[in-house]
Amino acid sequence: MNMESNEKPIINRIKVVLVEQRRTNKWLADTLGKDCTTVSKWCTNTAQPG
């Protein structure tokens, strides 16, 4: 990966917390009443929760 010195890697906090808590995207989707694909998009920075 070729990054300039002022660029930082994008860290997805939702994904980090799920890993720390040993939870899955499906668990979060079920807990929030959302579709699994929606949560997946949040974790890949394709979409942001509203």
Side-chain angles (χ1 to χ4, degrees):
M1 187 173 358
N2 193 6
M3 294 203 298
E4 293 182 27
S5 60
N6 62 347
E7 291 183 39
K8 294 181 181 179
I10 295 172
I11 298 172
N12 185 289
R13 186 73 183 135
I14 295 171
K15 190 173 183 178
V16 170
V17 171
L18 287 174
V19 170
E20 289 174 349
Q21 299 297 315
R22 296 183 179 152
R23 300 290 186 169
T24 63
N25 289 6
K26 182 178 180 345
W27 172 84
L28 184 58
D30 291 345
T31 301
L32 298 176
K34 299 290 184 181
D35 191 78
C36 286
T37 56
T38 300
V39 173
S40 177
K41 288 178 182 179
W42 294 347
C43 290
T44 60
N45 291 324
T46 305
Q48 294 299 309

